């Protein structure tokens, strides 16, 4: 359980222009939300801990994306012990690799979301689902409800827990690091808890209670990464399990969300551009669902409920960015939606939380974080600018109507707790131990001018006392797809690099979502080359302003970020010395022409349809990394791939690697004697997950590669890394 430390709360003062405004009631003519389990985080000193959040943000609704959480108190350096090296002849890299590979699994804990319900806290302890009384949650006094070993899975963990309203049952979704598949178990709570049922391939789940006080579990079934079916089940004497809804559109994904006041269960059907929501009465779940608004191409919307009104976050109308609307719950259709709150230009809505008398919006504006607190009684708005070091939110939902807690983090700084107290109208921060990184590092926010004069934001980290930054190594991060923000959660290996003198640069190129929906639209389909131009401009701007040089520059990305990285390696390889990729998408053309792959149809709105649209096909050919490999000098490239990855098939990565090596070999032959060909490493990991973010072996392999290729001394970086990965 989360360690309880005495916190001193200090009010934050801020006075800034509002990031939007409430609108007077008017009629509008037309022609994320995240899962709200009340989670807590279990952290242990000096362990690399991972929290699979029970509450994804709006932009992550259709994917259960893991992120990590840490406490500042858990980041104190460990006193080093004198250890006998395995071999005096082994260099620093091999010593660390040996320790990593022989490290007991127990030393690396996977820490999962926990749920508070009634007077109990439900969580995972070791290999068991357990519960304890809330006041005893930090002790070892708990009741075992289910032993996960009964499922015969390899190192299972719980990433979602739902408790029935009257606590007769608890449902838990269980998975492993090696696979995206999940199993849902239902445990009957009694003097002798017993597993009542289990369901395979469950994606989302929620409990409601019917008119006869019977608990009803709704859940979605996922097959081949597609989630189209909704089931409902009851247990005990009246056991039943029936399919309730099937989505016919193969491009759509279905997920469930229970409004925070538990009044309605929503069935959310969406693809990349369009959504549709149905309401199930939380008090009469057997009644037919009510459609809020039939899907309209290009219209996205998410729904919350309060006092018989629906609050709808939607992009309908002009400009086509998210805005907040509301309507009576018994008149949900779009013609009844009233504009309630509009966002300022270049504002990204990260998340929204609803309280009894307030609505809280978590925002990113011009690459800085804000919180807007809207008073629902008087339509007042209080806009709070958050500390400039903060790059990401971690939502810490709770059932307390008086407070809104959350955490802030950055790639090099562990999360710090903040709480907005509605009564005081102030934001309070956790004080006490101040992380030393605040004094030893610097965060900058710069802009690069792309070819079309578009300003592209960048976030840069480096040591405060660094001298002659032009001679320092630079690691550039990029993503630029699906309207998703570049991941800027805390990662200890990134902090270690900054401590060792590296410059980290995060390039928020078009195709991502950092500046809102239009920022994504300007970097997808037949505008994908905008993202490539942005990335090139960012790197050239960094070099031009004295941040490193090409011979000391590395570029890193994962998944769809591999498209822009691979394209840059083809078009401007002289900007880079090395590249690291993880589960990269590198063969866009052949993948999008293969409709048998699970995500091809779902992603046509992002990449285009080369099978039926010649313009799309020709455009993809212009930037597709695999299609544009040619004999030339390339940067050194390290690729991590996963054997049974369903999202990015291994075949495409292997084909890319082989074709790249052939091109490099031909260029080396043409270049003649004395040419030093770049290294190309393909590291295939076992398992069927898409990205295993915290693999010790992967982290050390990537850092080893970067240091070797850039010709850097690795001694101190691995000594520091040992502190945080606890060798």
């Amino acid at each position: 359980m989360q360690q309880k430390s005495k916190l001193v709360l200090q009010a934050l003062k801020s006075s800034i222009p509002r990031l939007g405004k409430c609108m007077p009631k008017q009629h509008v003519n037309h022609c994320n939300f995240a899962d709200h389990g009340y989670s807590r985080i279990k952290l242990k000193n000096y362990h690399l801990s991972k929290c699979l959040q029970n509450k994804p943000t709006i932009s992550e609704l259709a994917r259960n994306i893991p992120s990590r959480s840490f406490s500042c108190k858990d980041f104190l350096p460990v006193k080093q012990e004198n250890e006998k090296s395995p071999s005096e002849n082994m260099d620093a890299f091999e010593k660390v690799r040996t320790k990593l590979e022989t490290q007991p699994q127990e030393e690396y804990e996977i820490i999962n979301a926990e749920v508070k319900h009634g007077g109990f806290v439900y969580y995972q302890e070791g290999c068991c689902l357990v519960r304890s009384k809330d006041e005893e949650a930090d002790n070892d006094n708990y009741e075992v409800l289910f032993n996960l070993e009964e499922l015969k899975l390899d190192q299972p963990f719980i990433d979602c827990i739902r408790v029935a309203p009257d606590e007769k049952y608890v449902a838990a979704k269980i998975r492993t690091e090696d696979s995206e598949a999940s199993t849902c178990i239902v445990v009957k709570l009694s003097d002798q808890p017993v597993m009542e049922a289990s369901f395979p391939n469950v994606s989302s789940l929620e409990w409601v209670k019917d008119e006869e006080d019977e608990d009803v579990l709704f859940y979605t079934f996922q097959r081949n990464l597609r989630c189209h079916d909704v089931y409902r089940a009851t247990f005990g004497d009246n056991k039943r399990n029936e399919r309730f809804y099937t989505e016919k559109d193969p491009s759509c994904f279905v997920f469930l969300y229970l409004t925070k006041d538990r009044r309605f269960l929503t069935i959310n059907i969406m693809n990349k551009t369009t959504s549709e929501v149905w309401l199930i009465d939380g008090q009469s779940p057997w009644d037919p669902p009510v459609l809020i608004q039939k899907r309209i191409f290009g219209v996205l919307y998410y729904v919350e409920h309060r006092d018989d009104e629906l609050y709808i976050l939607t992009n309908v109308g002009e400009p086509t960015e998210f805005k907040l609307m509301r309507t009576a719950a018994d008149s949900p259709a779009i013609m009844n939606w009233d504009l309630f709150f509009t966002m300022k230009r270049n504002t990204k809505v990260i998340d929204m939380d609803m309280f009894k008398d307030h609505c809280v919006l978590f925002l990113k504006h011009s690459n800085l974080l804000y919180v807007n607190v809207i008073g629902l009684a008087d339509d007042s708005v209080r806009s709070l600018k958050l500390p400039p070091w903060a790059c990401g939110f971690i939502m810490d939902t709770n059932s307390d109507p008086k407070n809104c807690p959350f955490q802030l983090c950055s790639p090099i700084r562990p999360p710090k707790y903040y709480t907005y107290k509605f009564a005081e109208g102030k934001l309070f921060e956790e004080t006490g131990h101040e992380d030393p990184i605040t004094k030893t590092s610097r965060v900058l926010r710069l802009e690069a001018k792309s070819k079309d004069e578009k300003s592209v934001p960048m976030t840069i980290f480096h040591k405060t006392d660094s001298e002659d930054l032009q001679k320092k190594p630079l690691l550039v991060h990029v993503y630029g797809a699906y309207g998703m923000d570049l991941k800027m959660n805390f990662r200890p290996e990134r902090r270690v690099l900054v401590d060792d003198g590296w410059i980290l640069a995060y390039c928020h190129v078009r195709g991502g979502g950092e500046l809102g929906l239009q920022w994504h639209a300007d970097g997808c389909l037949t505008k994908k080359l905008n993202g490539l131009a942005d990335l090139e401009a960012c790197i050239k701007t960094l070099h031009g302003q004295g941040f490193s040089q090409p011979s000391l520059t590395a570029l890193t990305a994962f998944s769809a970020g591999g498209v822009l990285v691979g394209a840059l390696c083809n078009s401007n390889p002289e900007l880079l010395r090395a590249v690291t990729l993880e589960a990269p998408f590198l063969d866009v053309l052949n993948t999008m022409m293969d409709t048998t792959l699970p995500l091809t149809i779902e992603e046509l709105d992002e990449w285009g349809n080369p099978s039926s649209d010649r313009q799309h096909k020709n455009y993809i050919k212009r930037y597709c990394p695999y299609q544009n490999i040619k004999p030339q000098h390339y940067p050194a490239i390290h690729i991590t791939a996963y054997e049974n990855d369903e999202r990015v098939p291994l075949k495409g990565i292997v084909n890319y690697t082989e074709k790249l090596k052939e091109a490099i070999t031909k260029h080396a032959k043409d270049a003649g004697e004395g040419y030093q060909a770049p290294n190309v490493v393909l590291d295939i990991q076992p398992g069927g997950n898409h990205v295993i973010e915290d693999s010790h072996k992967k982290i050390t392999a990537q850092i080893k590669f970067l240091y070797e290729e850039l010709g850097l001394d690795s001694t101190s970086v691995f000594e520091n890394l040992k502190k945080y990965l606890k060798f």
Side-chain angles (χ1 to χ4, degrees):
M1 302 299 298
Q2 177 190 335
Q3 289 184 325
K4 289 184 177 177
S5 57
K6 190 173 182 180
L7 304 181
V8 180
L9 295 178
Q10 173 182 326
L12 291 176
K13 298 179 180 179
S14 61
S15 177
I16 61 170
R18 294 175 179 174
L19 285 185
K21 58 182 179 179
C22 278
M23 308 296 294
K25 272 211 167 184
Q26 58 184 4
H27 190 72
V28 181
N29 293 315
H30 305 283
C31 98
N32 241 239
F33 296 117
D35 193 2
H36 71 295
Y38 312 125
S39 60
R40 304 172 64 202
I41 300 171
K42 174 182 176 181
L43 297 170
K44 287 194 174 183
N45 280 342
Y46 321 129
H47 280 235
L48 182 62
S49 304
K50 173 177 175 181
C51 175
L52 291 170
Q53 294 295 322
N54 224 14
K55 181 184 187 298
T57 60
I58 287 173
S59 59
E60 299 170 350
L61 281 171
R63 295 284 184 272
N64 191 3
I65 301 177
S67 58
R68 296 182 295 179
S69 299
F70 300 80
S71 165
C72 291
K73 293 182 178 294
D74 294 332
F75 207 75
L76 299 172
V78 180
K79 183 178 180 181
Q80 297 297 299
E81 299 178 358
N82 294 324
E83 296 182 85
K84 188 175 181 179
S85 61
S87 170
E88 296 299 329
N89 297 323
M90 297 173 68
D91 63 18
F93 288 107
E94 295 308 319
K95 290 178 183 178
V96 172
R97 181 188 294 275
T98 299
K99 289 186 178 184
L100 280 171
E101 294 179 351
T102 59
Q103 182 75 4
Q105 182 66 28
E106 290 73 22
E107 295 294 347
Y108 173 57
E109 291 194 331
I110 297 173
I111 306 301
N112 308 293
E114 299 166 353
V115 172
K116 181 178 179 181
H117 190 102
F120 290 92
V121 177
Y122 296 77
Y123 57 97
Q124 180 176 345
E125 183 67 36
C127 61
C128 295
L129 170 64
V130 305
R131 71 172 176 179
S132 61
K133 291 184 178 179
D134 192 16
E135 63 272 14
E136 300 175 351
D138 292 308
N139 301 322
D140 291 330
N141 185 18
Y142 52 79
E143 175 188 7
V144 175
L145 305 178
F146 181 75
N147 189 334
L148 305 186
E149 291 181 345
E150 293 184 27
L151 299 176
K152 301 188 183 305
L153 299 174
D154 183 25
Q155 298 174 348
F157 63 91
I158 300 171
D159 72 347
C160 179
I161 299 173
R162 290 290 180 270
V163 184
D166 59 1
E167 292 191 271
K168 291 181 181 177
Y169 299 96
V170 59
K173 190 173 71 168
I174 300 162
R175 56 184 293 258
T176 70
E177 279 287 353
D178 292 339
S179 173
E180 295 193 47
S182 299
T183 297
C184 174
I185 62 164
V186 178
V187 176
K188 183 177 182 180
L189 300 175
S190 60
D191 293 338
Q192 296 292 328
V194 61
M195 186 175 76
E196 185 86 5
S198 67
F199 307 111
N201 302 315
V202 170
S203 177
S204 58
L205 61 151
E206 296 290 354
W207 290 98
V208 295
K209 183 187 288 292
D210 67 12
E211 303 91 325
E212 299 179 0
D213 286 339
E214 185 173 40
D215 295 313
V216 185
L217 178 68
F218 285 79
Y219 65 92
T220 54
F221 179 79
Q222 181 169 306
R223 182 188 295 110
N224 295 328
L225 302 180
R226 298 176 180 176
C227 194
H228 292 159
D229 297 321
V230 182
Y231 286 77
R232 57 187 174 192
T234 57
F235 309 95
D237 295 335
N238 187 26
K239 185 175 294 187
R240 60 195 292 186
N241 184 34
E242 62 185 21
R243 187 166 57 182
F244 173 71
Y245 174 86
T246 297
E247 172 57 34
K248 302 297 184 183
D249 186 342
S251 73
C252 289
F253 190 92
V254 182
F255 64 93
L256 304 175
Y257 171 73
L258 189 63
T259 59
K260 192 169 182 180
D261 61 3
R262 307 187 68 89
R263 183 64 182 82
F264 291 103
L265 175 66
T266 63
I267 300 177
N268 300 267
I269 305 146
M270 67 182 299
N271 57 26
K272 296 290 190 295
T273 62
T274 305
S275 61
E276 178 178 286
V277 181
W278 293 76
L279 292 180
I280 295 176
D281 192 328
Q283 299 170 353
S284 303
W286 302 105
D287 291 350
V290 175
L291 175 64
I292 292 183
Q293 172 57 46
K294 185 178 180 180
R295 65 195 76 176
I296 301 172
F297 179 78
V299 174
L300 295 165
Y301 68 99
Y302 309 93
V303 179
E304 253 294 356
H305 176 265
R306 169 191 172 270
D307 287 351
D308 296 327
E309 286 189 314
L310 300 177
Y311 286 79
I312 303 168
L313 196 62
T314 179
N315 67 334
V316 71
E318 293 294 335
T320 55
E321 298 291 345
F322 278 115
K323 51 194 73 72
L324 189 59
M325 296 186 171
R326 63 182 173 188
T327 185
D330 58 2
S331 303
I334 196 169
M335 69 280 298
N336 300 312
W337 296 1
D338 290 320
L339 186 61
F340 176 59
F341 184 81
T342 58
M343 314 297 168
K344 198 173 180 180
R345 189 170 172 234
N346 291 337
T347 299
K348 165 75 177 283
V349 181
I350 304 295
D351 208 351
M352 172 175 138
D353 204 356
M354 187 68 67
F355 296 84
K356 183 177 182 296
D357 297 315
H358 298 85
C359 175
V360 180
L361 294 171
F362 300 88
L363 308 171
K364 179 181 288 186
H365 173 69
S366 297
N367 207 22
L368 292 170
L369 299 185
Y370 295 79
V371 168
N372 272 15
V373 182
I374 305 173
L376 299 178
D378 57 6
D379 291 351
S380 62
V381 180
R382 181 170 177 78
S383 188
L384 302 169
K385 184 177 181 178
L386 299 174
W389 63 262
C391 300
F393 291 102
I394 298 174
M395 306 309 165
D396 193 2
T397 52
N398 71 106
S399 56
D400 183 357
K402 299 179 181 179
N403 302 312
C404 178
F406 57 91
Q407 299 174 68
L408 298 176
C409 66
S410 85
I412 64 172
R413 179 166 176 168
K416 185 172 185 178
Y417 281 89
Y418 289 78
T419 300
Y420 185 84
K421 297 192 173 185
F422 297 116
E424 290 90 337
K426 295 178 181 178
L427 183 66
F428 294 82
E429 69 171 323
E430 171 190 356
T431 60
H433 169 71
E434 187 65 29
D435 195 290
I437 198 71
T438 58
K439 296 181 179 179
T440 60
S441 69
R442 187 179 180 195
V443 57
L444 302 173
R445 286 179 169 80
L446 304 179
E447 289 185 344
K449 287 290 184 183
S450 197
K451 288 182 179 178
D452 57 1
E453 296 300 312
K454 183 70 72 172
S455 295
V456 184
M458 297 182 288
T459 308
I460 300 162
F461 303 89
H462 67 82
K463 287 182 71 173
T464 305
D465 60 358
S466 289
E467 297 180 358
D468 198 358
L469 291 173
Q470 193 171 17
K471 296 182 180 179
K472 299 296 182 182
L474 167 66
L475 183 60
V476 179
H477 300 71
V478 71
Y479 188 68
Y482 304 121
M484 300 288 288
D485 291 7
L486 184 58
K487 292 182 69 173
M488 300 189 70
N489 54 309
F490 173 66
R491 295 185 62 175
E493 64 270 25
R494 300 298 184 231
R495 173 168 180 153
V496 167
L497 291 178
V498 169
D499 287 341
D500 203 43
W502 283 71
I503 305 165
L504 304 185
Y506 290 76
C507 303
H508 309 292
V509 303
R510 281 173 285 184
E514 286 86 349
L515 297 183
L517 297 176
Q518 190 60 48
W519 195 248
H520 169 225
D522 287 342
C524 67
L525 293 174
T526 55
K527 296 182 179 180
K528 185 61 70 175
L529 284 169
N530 284 340
L532 177 59
D534 293 351
L535 176 59
E536 179 183 334
C538 286
I539 296 176
K540 288 181 176 179
T541 298
L542 289 166
H543 292 161
Q545 295 193 15
F547 294 99
S548 196
Q549 54 189 289
S551 63
L552 290 172
T553 298
L555 180 57
T556 185
F558 77 97
S559 194
V563 173
L564 296 184
V565 173
L568 186 69
C569 289
N570 289 328
S571 64
N572 284 278
E574 69 279 359
L575 293 176
L576 308 168
R577 179 66 185 86
V579 167
T580 64
L581 296 170
E582 184 172 4
F585 188 26
L586 296 167
D587 190 358
V588 182
L589 183 62
N590 289 323
T591 299
M592 295 308 298
M593 292 185 71
D594 186 354
T595 56
T596 64
L597 296 174
L599 297 181
T600 296
I601 295 177
E602 181 181 332
E603 298 191 350
L604 293 176
D605 291 328
E606 178 71 24
W607 308 101
N609 190 345
S611 295
S612 61
D613 190 317
R614 180 166 292 276
Q615 181 189 10
H616 287 174
K617 184 176 183 178
N618 291 335
Y619 190 84
I620 291 173
K621 283 182 177 180
R622 292 171 61 188
Y623 68 82
C624 175
Y626 177 78
Q627 298 294 326
N628 290 280
I629 293 173
K630 55 192 173 186
Q632 64 174 8
H633 180 74
Y634 278 88
I637 299 178
H638 183 285
I639 301 175
T640 305
Y642 297 94
E643 190 174 19
N644 299 312
D645 189 341
E646 293 182 90
R647 296 185 181 274
V648 179
L650 180 61
K651 178 182 177 181
I653 297 175
V654 171
N655 290 343
Y656 171 87
T657 305
E658 291 176 350
K659 186 175 180 180
L660 180 63
K661 287 182 177 180
E662 290 174 1
I664 290 173
T665 300
K666 185 177 188 307
H667 177 69
K669 184 178 180 180
D670 296 340
E673 189 174 346
Y675 174 73
Q676 183 66 44
N679 291 316
V680 177
V681 178
L682 175 57
D683 181 12
I684 301 176
Q685 298 285 324
N689 212 337
H690 182 45
V691 173
I692 302 178
E693 194 172 54
D694 300 326
S695 164
H696 289 186
K697 183 177 180 181
K698 180 203 74 177
I699 291 170
T700 53
Q702 290 175 347
I703 292 180
K704 177 179 190 283
F705 178 82
L706 290 175
Y707 272 75
E708 286 183 343
E709 293 301 328
L710 272 61
L712 304 174
D713 181 5
S714 64
T715 305
S716 60
V717 70
F718 276 101
E719 286 302 314
N720 289 330
L721 194 62
K722 284 160 61 177
K723 299 176 185 178
Y724 306 127
L725 298 188
K726 194 181 179 184
F727 299 126

